[in-house]
Amino acid sequence: MKWRRSRDEGEQRAESEPVREPVAPVLPVAISAVRRGFHERMTAAEAESEPSARARAMLTGVHEFLALAEDDEILGERAELLRRVREIATLAPDAGVRLVARLTGWFGLDEALAREALGAWMTRPETGSFGATWSAASELLTASDSVTAWLTNAVLAARSESPTEQAERSAVSGRFRELARGYLVELVDGDFDTYEFTGSTSPVWQVLYALGPATRPEWFLLFGDRAAGRGEEAEAARRYEMADRFGGGTHARDRLRNLHDIGAHQRLLNGVTDAALLKGPGTPSAYRQLVIGTAGVLTGKTASAALAEAQRDGDHNVRRAAAFVSALDRLRDGDTEAARSRLREFLSAAVDGNGTLAADGPEANARLVLGALDRDDALITAGARQLLSRYREQWPTHSLVDAATVLTAVSRTDSALLTELIGGTTTGLTGGATTGLNGADLDAMRIDTARTYLADAAQAAVFSHFEETDRLLTQAGLLLTGSDSDAADQLRDTATRITDTVARLRAKSAPERPLDRLAFTALRQNGEIHPWTGPALQLWQDYDTAHGQHGGHAHAIAPDSLHHLAIAAHARAYQLEIDGDDAAFEQWRQALGYWARLRADDRFWASLRTRLAATAGDATPAEVANAVDEARGELPAQVLEPHVSLVLQLRKDDLPRARAHLELIRTAAFAPEDISRARTRLAREAGAGIRRLTREGDLERALAEVSAWIDIDSDNIPLAEQALDVGIETAEFEHRRSDRGWAEQSRPVLEGIADLVEPMRAHLGLTARQLATGRRPATGETDRAAFAAKLARYEFWHGTALVVSTYDRLKRNPYEDRTGFRRGAGHLNTALMLGVPAHAPYNKAREMLVAAGQLERSIQGHVLGFL
């Protein structure tokens, strides 16, 4: 391929033409100044004795010539240019690769030259320019499958060599593999959306496969680990799910479970106590049940069921922690005696064979809580000592008993330990002289702790968690008792302002618009304030209608009024739902519309940021903004969650009502990704139950569950994938259990699933006929590509089961139906078109396809002979 270029007209690719080299390297008599200058530069470069200087000089001369010369001059120097490129590639491999890629535009790809340049580069790559050289190398690899195969085979061979063999052969250096892995991993990780569905023939994936691991699911797991390491839980979960969808299996699910365990723990630490947000997708693990139970204790909700599951299913550490939290649960319910009894049993079980209390787990807090209940200063002191040993100056943040109570108890029993607790100077807890109690340090610690409590109290007040606010204000007051410093007085003033703010919020005196005041008055009936009443809801709806008509758009209503309207409409929908009234669906639709408008109303969120910043204590503007943005982002999930729960609840007893709630989710005025997240949640819940039935061998119920779910949400791609999972896991289980008879056992299940997923296959263009005449999934078609990857595995098992079971039947009865060979071959061919994994048993797909054809021809021959 030649390139035609002039200085004025730029570049334009021409038709392919044969390029003839000069018969002899003799220059014509009339040589242009540009070509003469080129040869003079090459001659000067050859005079350089130092190799790197010679390479730089030649490289400068070549690039200058390419910039100044016309096309015919460049084509006339083809032989000389290629000779110089070979020499440059030997002396400076990175520059050589980039130059080969540039010359390909004029002369086409010289595969031999490309291999020479790439081979030298793989032996001696430059660290600083690897990215630029890879871009050029990628152009060469994309232009030639044979060069790509040669390079990846070289990398793969080097991976299996010993260090000694690598040193002797030097085909691909260890440095190259290190740089390639580092650069390509960062490249894919930084733009994962682009590369996740890039075809396996992409140079990036070909080299990554050669570097190892050799499959896409394994790489997805590694990229998921990277996202998890950065704390990007949602992105990590997506990558693990992609690994599962592309064949990652147990490893992906284990990582997902661990990721969600860590995420639940972190959310609890950040103050999230909603069980729906802590449980994660699917059936929660024992650890997440412990977290949910702990959150229940913290918020006064029922926690016994979650804690019982944690104690039943968890490992030793989880069971121990659940036992402790169960004691706190009894204490929260007011059963002090039961709490005392459980704490004593817990501490008794924590003592080892030497009579020493275990140094890990919640034992320290068990001592503190039991000591506070029994007013046992010695027990509190022992718990404080253990906390200090583990957490040093951070002990107050890990104590379940307030710092004032701990410090007071310790001050009566161990002044040396008190000095340690408040940060005074000491030589240690086990002996040596101390400086004694430092009153200034004690006061400073009280002040700092009280300031933290007040900041948390202000934040709780903003979110209307008034009971939590009262508790924190009480704790701050206890800490400030007895301190007459200026700092303590300032904090007392702060506490007074927070108390006044809470009083105003509780009295609902904040609304300034007359209509809002009327509506709030209408919420009060028989001396009680209700979340909604008919008159209040009507007032806000009339206000919304009036502003929508006269203000020119539906968002003209004041944002706080819209917020009140959304809350009241949602509360009425709940009431209608509880009553079983079909009018609930219209009310739900209206409420979701109000919430969607509120989420899009920048005024509301700006106002919330302002109010939060004014009362959030020491929180920085960035922290306030992040908190508000997070709340705004989670609002769709929060208001759609009731419908997800109702679909799960109603689908067994009231299928039409379940479908109606699903329709509310599908038509809600939120972003497509928010709707997709809710529907994916349903698919995950469905998958957990379906997989459990499959593992238990109850295949009939598993298929019935799949069918019911697809009937509820027919175009939910992840739900259709659950059907494929049943077939894949059934075949894998039967195959592992018995090499003989597995196909006969699996075949009915696989054929039943084929009917269930056929509409989805047709919708996505993945039937055998569509694949033969259409196209495979491309980059950006996330769901289609993921479904296709799982469909490929299902088609492999379906085809293999048909071939093997037909063969087994014919051995028993030569008159048995033989069409299973042809049908099985069709499924195996579809699996290969979709792209099966490279690992066993899927790497036998082509071999099984050939066997199916041979068996069909062999059987036909026997039939003809018999006749």
Side-chain angles (χ1 to χ4, degrees):
M1 187 71 71
K2 296 195 297 182
W3 289 88
R4 297 298 185 187
R5 181 176 62 77
S6 70
R7 292 190 182 91
D8 296 325
E9 297 178 358
E11 292 183 345
Q12 184 177 2
R13 187 180 292 274
E15 295 292 329
S16 254
E17 297 179 6
V19 178
R20 295 182 176 82
E21 297 188 18
V23 176
V26 178
L27 294 174
V29 175
I31 185 172
S32 69
V34 174
R35 295 179 70 179
R36 185 180 302 108
F38 169 60
H39 283 278
E40 290 173 354
R41 278 190 170 276
M42 294 302 102
T43 301
E46 289 174 351
E48 295 283 353
S49 58
E50 203 275 317
S52 61
R54 183 163 64 255
R56 285 194 299 272
M58 282 191 293
L59 190 63
T60 300
V62 169
H63 282 302
E64 182 182 275
F65 174 67
L66 294 176
L68 297 176
E70 297 291 348
D71 281 349
D72 57 341
E73 294 174 316
I74 294 173
L75 294 174
E77 295 292 346
R78 180 178 186 273
E80 179 67 9
L81 284 169
L82 294 181
R83 184 171 74 86
R84 295 299 180 181
V85 170
R86 282 189 167 86
E87 188 172 356
I88 291 170
T90 302
L91 299 173
D94 278 73
V97 171
R98 295 194 293 271
L99 189 54
V100 170
R102 186 178 182 189
L103 289 179
T104 300
W106 281 283
F107 307 140
L109 179 64
D110 185 326
E111 292 191 355
L113 177 60
R115 286 194 180 99
E116 287 182 38
L118 292 169
W121 177 50
M122 289 191 292
T123 304
R124 294 181 288 114
E126 295 177 10
T127 302
S129 59
F130 189 89
T133 307
W134 167 260
S135 297
S138 181
E139 294 180 19
L140 302 177
L141 298 176
T142 301
S144 171
D145 291 340
S146 63
V147 173
T148 302
W150 167 82
L151 184 143
T152 53
N153 286 335
V155 174
L156 189 61
R159 195 177 93 192
S160 61
E161 293 174 345
S162 67
T164 303
E165 291 173 328
Q166 293 172 11
E168 291 175 353
R169 294 181 50 173
S170 299
V172 179
S173 67
R175 183 59 180 158
F176 174 83
R177 295 197 306 278
E178 178 184 347
L179 290 172
R181 176 181 288 275
Y183 178 78
L184 295 180
V185 165
E186 291 293 340
L187 183 69
V188 176
D189 190 29
D191 194 10
F192 190 76
D193 289 344
T194 297
Y195 288 99
E196 61 179 326
F197 290 111
T198 303
S200 59
T201 57
S202 160
V204 171
W205 283 114
Q206 286 291 300
V207 175
L208 285 176
Y209 292 158
L211 291 167
T215 67
R216 188 76 63 100
E218 291 176 287
W219 275 109
F220 282 171
L221 289 177
L222 292 176
F223 286 121
D225 291 344
R226 289 174 66 86
R230 295 191 295 268
E232 299 172 3
E233 182 183 352
E235 178 63 17
R238 186 174 76 85
R239 296 180 183 188
Y240 290 148
E241 287 170 357
M242 294 305 301
D244 182 26
R245 293 170 77 177
F246 277 87
T250 304
H251 296 299
R253 293 169 193 162
D254 287 345
R255 278 184 169 82
L256 264 175
R257 185 182 63 252
N258 294 335
L259 175 73
H260 295 311
D261 285 352
I262 295 170
H265 174 76
Q266 192 59 49
R267 282 191 286 276
L268 182 63
L269 291 180
N270 290 336
V272 176
T273 55
D274 187 337
L277 298 177
L278 295 173
K279 67 176 296 201
T283 303
S285 65
Y287 182 82
R288 272 177 272 159
Q289 291 286 13
L290 170 62
V291 172
I292 292 169
T294 303
V297 174
L298 291 173
T299 57
K301 298 177 182 177
T302 301
S304 56
L307 294 173
E309 290 198 32
Q311 287 181 283
R312 183 191 65 204
D313 301 332
D315 59 20
H316 174 74
N317 290 330
V318 170
R319 292 197 303 272
R320 296 276 300 141
F324 173 61
V325 178
S326 295
L328 300 181
D329 187 37
R330 294 292 84 218
L331 182 62
R332 182 213 63 194
D333 288 342
D335 192 348
T336 306
E337 288 306 315
R340 282 192 175 101
S341 176
R342 292 192 182 190
L343 287 170
R344 291 191 185 101
E345 290 176 4
F346 176 83
L347 290 172
S348 176
V351 176
D352 62 22
N354 298 322
T356 304
L357 191 67
D360 56 358
E363 288 79 14
N365 270 306
R367 285 182 162 187
L368 291 174
V369 174
L370 184 57
L373 290 173
D374 291 345
R375 298 183 180 180
D376 186 336
D377 290 347
L379 200 54
I380 292 176
T381 300
R385 182 177 291 108
Q386 191 174 353
L387 278 184
L388 181 65
S389 175
R390 292 195 65 192
Y391 302 113
R392 304 309 303 168
E393 68 275 4
Q394 299 298 320
W395 71 264
T397 64
H398 295 275
S399 174
L400 291 180
V401 176
D402 65 273
T405 300
V406 173
L407 294 175
T408 302
V410 172
S411 68
R412 292 194 288 258
T413 59
D414 191 337
S415 60
L417 177 60
L418 183 60
T419 303
E420 284 284 319
L421 291 172
I422 65 174
T425 305
T426 184
T427 59
L429 294 175
T430 58
T434 67
T435 63
L437 182 62
N438 187 321
D441 286 339
L442 175 57
D443 196 60
M445 182 170 187
R446 286 176 173 176
I447 294 299
D448 289 342
T449 307
R451 183 178 291 111
T452 300
Y453 284 153
L454 291 176
D456 292 342
Q459 188 173 27
V462 169
F463 290 107
S464 300
H465 299 159
F466 299 131
E467 291 78 10
E468 177 70 4
T469 305
D470 291 341
R471 185 183 68 80
L472 292 166
L473 288 172
T474 299
Q475 289 183 333
L478 289 173
L479 284 168
L480 296 173
T481 300
S483 176
D484 56 0
S485 65
D486 292 340
D489 290 338
Q490 291 175 358
L491 292 180
R492 289 188 188 97
D493 290 340
T494 299
T496 300
R497 289 196 299 272
I498 294 173
T499 301
D500 292 343
T501 300
V502 169
R504 288 196 302 272
L505 292 173
R506 276 177 163 151
K508 301 289 186 181
S509 60
E512 297 176 356
R513 285 166 297 280
L515 185 136
D516 280 346
R517 288 199 293 272
L518 287 172
F520 274 112
T521 301
L523 289 177
R524 184 181 295 275
Q525 291 184 351
N526 299 323
E528 295 183 1
I529 296 178
H530 297 268
W532 77 277
T533 63
L537 183 58
Q538 190 64 52
L539 281 168
W540 276 313
Q541 286 178 330
D542 290 345
Y543 184 33
D544 181 45
T545 302
H547 279 66
Q549 292 173 350
H550 301 295
H553 58 86
H555 288 187
I557 183 175
D560 286 343
S561 299
L562 180 59
H563 186 212
H564 303 322
L565 173 57
I567 293 173
H570 212 91
R572 181 169 187 263
Y574 263 116
Q575 185 61 56
L576 292 171
E577 185 69 39
I578 292 171
D579 295 340
D581 192 333
D582 287 343
F585 296 111
E586 176 59 24
Q587 191 62 51
W588 281 122
R589 187 188 63 77
Q590 291 181 15
L592 289 173
Y594 296 144
W595 285 120
R597 286 168 50 192
L598 187 71
R599 185 178 188 270
D601 195 330
D602 294 334
R603 298 172 300 163
F604 175 79
W605 303 101
S607 175
L608 181 59
R609 276 192 293 271
T610 301
R611 294 198 301 270
L612 185 58
T615 57
D618 295 332
T620 66
E623 290 171 338
V624 171
N626 288 338
V628 172
D629 289 344
E630 183 176 346
R632 187 177 190 178
E634 286 299 317
L635 187 144
Q638 293 289 333
V639 297
L640 291 175
E641 174 61 26
H643 303 287
V644 173
S645 300
L646 285 167
V647 172
L648 294 169
Q649 174 186 333
L650 294 170
R651 68 181 184 83
K652 295 181 180 179
D653 304 321
D654 194 341
L655 193 58
R657 204 170 184 88
R659 287 199 192 99
H661 279 284
L662 179 64
E663 189 62 21
L664 287 170
I665 294 174
R666 291 160 59 97
T667 58
F670 294 115
E673 56 268 24
D674 295 320
I675 306 300
S676 177
R677 183 164 55 161
R679 295 175 69 193
T680 300
R681 159 86 194 286
L682 283 172
R684 287 170 176 164
E685 292 290 342
I690 292 166
R691 279 194 294 271
R692 183 177 65 254
L693 292 171
T694 304
R695 288 194 298 268
E696 293 171 356
D698 197 344
L699 301 179
E700 185 175 346
R701 283 187 61 198
L703 274 177
E705 282 285 289
V706 171
S707 179
W709 277 110
I710 291 178
D711 185 41
I712 291 173
D713 196 0
S714 59
D715 60 348
N716 188 324
I717 295 175
L719 272 179
E721 287 183 32
Q722 300 296 341
L724 298 177
D725 277 335
V726 172
I728 294 168
E729 293 182 18
T730 298
E732 289 178 345
F733 173 76
E734 294 293 342
H735 189 265
R736 285 195 303 269
R737 188 173 68 171
S738 173
D739 288 338
R740 304 183 64 182
W742 72 269
E744 194 67 36
Q745 291 292 326
S746 305
R747 181 170 171 173
V749 177
L750 292 164
E751 290 180 335
I753 289 168
D755 295 333
L756 289 176
V757 302
E758 186 64 24
M760 181 61 72
R761 293 185 64 173
H763 172 69
L764 295 175
L766 295 175
T767 64
R769 183 183 298 275
Q770 289 168 320
L771 285 169
T773 60
R775 60 180 179 82
R776 297 181 185 180
T779 302
E781 298 177 298
T782 306
D783 282 333
R784 185 170 183 259
F787 184 86
K790 191 158 288 187
L791 180 62
R793 287 181 283 146
Y794 163 78
E795 287 287 279
F796 166 81
W797 284 113
H798 193 177
T800 303
L802 281 169
V803 172
V804 174
S805 62
T806 301
Y807 179 74
D808 289 342
R809 292 177 182 181
L810 282 169
K811 285 196 300 183
R812 296 192 299 269
N813 178 11
Y815 299 101
E816 181 64 53
D817 179 24
R818 299 168 173 81
T819 59
F821 292 130
R822 183 174 301 171
R823 290 167 52 211
H827 288 290
L828 288 165
N829 186 58
T830 301
L832 288 167
M833 282 195 294
L834 290 167
V836 292
H839 58 79
Y842 301 102
N843 57 355
K844 302 294 184 182
R846 194 170 298 280
E847 180 181 330
M848 182 60 66
L849 176 62
V850 173
Q854 292 174 341
L855 283 169
E856 184 181 16
R857 289 190 295 273
S858 173
I859 293 297
Q860 287 174 347
H862 285 305
V863 172
L864 289 173
F866 175 76
L867 291 174

